[in-house]
Amino acid sequence: MNERDFADLAAGHALNALSEADERAYQEALAGNPHWSSYVRDAIDAVAAISEAVAPVEPPASIRASLLARITDLPQTASTEPERDPGDVEDYAAAGPAPVDREIEADAEGTPAASAWGLRRWFTLAASIVAVLVLGFGAVAISQQLTRPAAVVALEQITTAPDAQSATATMPDGAVVTAHWSASTGQSVLVTEGMPSLPDDQTYELWFVRDDTPIAAGIFETDAEGQATAVLEGEFHSGDVIAVTVEPAGGSPDGTPSSAPVVTVATA
């Protein structure tokens, strides 16, 4: 058995999916080649990572039928092993490595033997099952993780920072605006609730007011309920005042506020 074949067996062992013959071959190979144990650790870690990355979900009933149909379509071979007494369990580790059959070894290096072919057949099916689970059930969650708005990611980073701070201001019309910031991450985010939507030819623009100088920090829009989560572009400095103005669509044409702020939030 070569290392590649053992790596396949290690993966099957980690999945608890080896046949009795393949499990015996795995144990014998490991006992005779203890330096291959890294493949075992890698396989266990890979299976654990997959199980942790995909949240458990109830699969559709159609998946079971599809998998059974796929199994049915696979070529079947009769087992050549004699039936074993359930109580006759061999201690592979204590037995040590088994003698190597030169004919089988040559076959492993050349044309795959029946056991190796069966192993490949199992892993083809196992890979299909994993693909169905990950791509079928986990795709939505993975896609959501990869496509989360930058403001949401920044807000999470801020709120988990050791120096995370926030302050809230209420506008005259009752809208609530909360600024979140962290000097250690240099990030700041503004979250709005009930802030009025603007016509198409206008937009809200964010500003850092630093030493009485306004610094443009991006534009944002609110949804129908006046909610928005907007990350301020540029690095936050301790003591900045976060301000919002109403500007022409696309933002201030000259990089300075064209109107008085509709709301300000002090961070010091």
Side-chain angles (χ1 to χ4, degrees):
M1 179 185 295
N2 57 36
E3 289 188 46
R4 182 174 180 178
D5 288 336
F6 180 78
D8 287 344
L9 287 171
H13 177 79
L15 290 166
N16 194 29
L18 294 179
S19 68
E20 186 176 349
D22 288 334
E23 179 67 25
R24 185 183 307 110
Y26 162 79
Q27 296 289 353
E28 292 174 348
L30 181 59
N33 302 275
H35 57 285
W36 287 356
S37 61
S38 61
Y39 292 108
V40 180
R41 293 192 299 271
D42 290 345
I44 292 173
D45 290 344
V47 171
I50 292 174
S51 65
E52 292 173 359
V54 180
V57 293
E58 185 67 26
S62 59
I63 293 296
R64 180 176 183 275
S66 176
L67 290 177
L68 289 176
R70 188 178 182 87
I71 293 172
T72 302
D73 290 341
L74 290 172
Q76 304 294 316
T77 57
S79 173
T80 57
E81 283 194 64
E83 293 186 3
R84 300 171 63 87
D85 186 333
D88 184 16
V89 179
E90 184 176 355
D91 186 343
Y92 300 113
V100 177
D101 187 319
R102 295 302 174 187
E103 182 178 352
I104 293 178
E105 180 176 334
D107 190 45
E109 296 294 334
T111 303
S115 176
W117 179 86
L119 182 63
R120 297 295 187 277
R121 181 181 62 180
W122 153 249
F123 278 104
T124 297
L125 179 59
S128 299
I129 294 174
V130 171
V132 168
L133 292 176
V134 173
L135 298 180
F137 305 142
V140 174
I142 294 172
S143 175
Q144 290 173 344
Q145 290 294 317
L146 295 177
T147 60
R148 290 188 305 162
V152 174
V153 175
L155 182 58
E156 289 184 358
Q157 293 173 343
I158 291 170
T159 55
T160 56
D163 61 343
Q165 297 185 66
S166 65
T168 299
T170 302
M171 298 173 63
D173 59 4
V176 177
V177 176
T178 302
H180 300 264
W181 68 91
S182 162
S184 65
T185 65
Q187 298 183 101
S188 52
V189 169
L190 194 74
V191 179
T192 71
E193 296 180 12
M195 199 166 184
S197 298
L198 297 176
D200 293 341
D201 61 346
Q202 292 182 323
T203 188
Y204 288 114
E205 185 156 5
L206 295 158
W207 305 87
F208 290 120
V209 181
R210 188 173 301 155
D211 297 328
D212 297 326
T213 301
I215 303 170
I219 60 176
F220 71 95
E221 297 178 352
T222 59
D223 62 18
E225 298 178 352
Q227 297 182 341
T229 300
V231 61
L232 280 79
E233 299 173 3
E235 185 177 1
F236 169 83
H237 290 187
S238 296
D240 284 347
V241 173
I242 296 174
V244 180
T245 61
V246 176
E247 302 293 339
S252 172
D254 63 1
T256 61
S258 62
S259 62
V262 294
V263 64
T264 59
V265 181
T267 66

